[in-house]
Amino acid sequence: SLGLPHPHCSVQNVHVLNSCGLTKIVSWNMGGIHSPIKRKKILQALHRKSVDIAVLQETHLDTVEQLKLKTWWVDQVYDNLAMDRQAGVAILVKKGVDFTVTRQYQDSRSRYLFL
């Protein structure tokens, strides 16, 4: 557990061994992160746990709010924005992680994003 502020969040941790070492990937159902306080706590928790790539579902964020996910430790943000503040996914990549997107697929209902 990441010690998170929302009791309904589900977190899946994956460690991937690659040529640069071990990459820590977390998949997390947010249940909405429109609140600046909740968003800050979540970003701090991900940073504290040294997460390299965070896959966030149910962000419920619009274009303006999604930009706020890029912080002092997040280098890249990929998203499929929420429609009417429902659904929405985002992938955050930590600074220093060698990550290049060659293709991107997403649905029109903001339910998934494949890189």
Side-chain angles (χ1 to χ4, degrees):
S1 171
L2 294 173
L4 302 171
H6 195 281
H8 303 300
C9 292
S10 62
V11 179
Q12 300 292 325
N13 291 300
V14 177
H15 292 87
V16 177
L17 186 60
N18 59 37
S19 60
C20 299
L22 199 59
T23 301
K24 186 173 187 179
I25 303 171
V26 171
S27 174
W28 193 355
N29 186 319
M30 309 278 48
I33 54 172
H34 200 267
S35 161
I37 294 169
K38 182 178 179 182
R39 188 171 49 248
K40 181 180 178 182
K41 287 181 179 181
I42 287 167
L43 290 169
Q44 287 174 337
L46 291 168
H47 178 66
R48 192 171 49 251
K49 295 295 182 177
S50 301
V51 172
D52 297 308
I53 299 173
V55 181
L56 310 178
Q57 304 106 38
E58 299 297 330
T59 59
H60 301 183
L61 297 177
D62 59 23
T63 305
V64 173
E65 294 298 314
Q66 194 85 330
L67 294 173
K68 296 176 183 175
L69 293 174
K70 192 166 185 176
T71 65
W72 74 99
W73 67 271
V74 176
D75 183 40
Q76 302 172 59
V77 176
Y78 302 93
D79 55 50
N80 189 355
L81 296 176
M83 301 177 74
D84 300 323
R85 289 183 62 183
Q86 295 180 352
V89 294
I91 299 174
L92 313 181
V93 181
K94 182 171 85 172
K95 290 181 180 174
V97 172
D98 186 17
F99 188 83
T100 304
V101 175
T102 57
R103 290 191 182 141
Q104 181 171 329
Y105 303 96
Q106 60 192 49
D107 71 326
S108 61
R109 295 182 346 154
S110 305
R111 296 284 178 192
Y112 64 80
L113 171 65
F114 297 114
L115 303 177

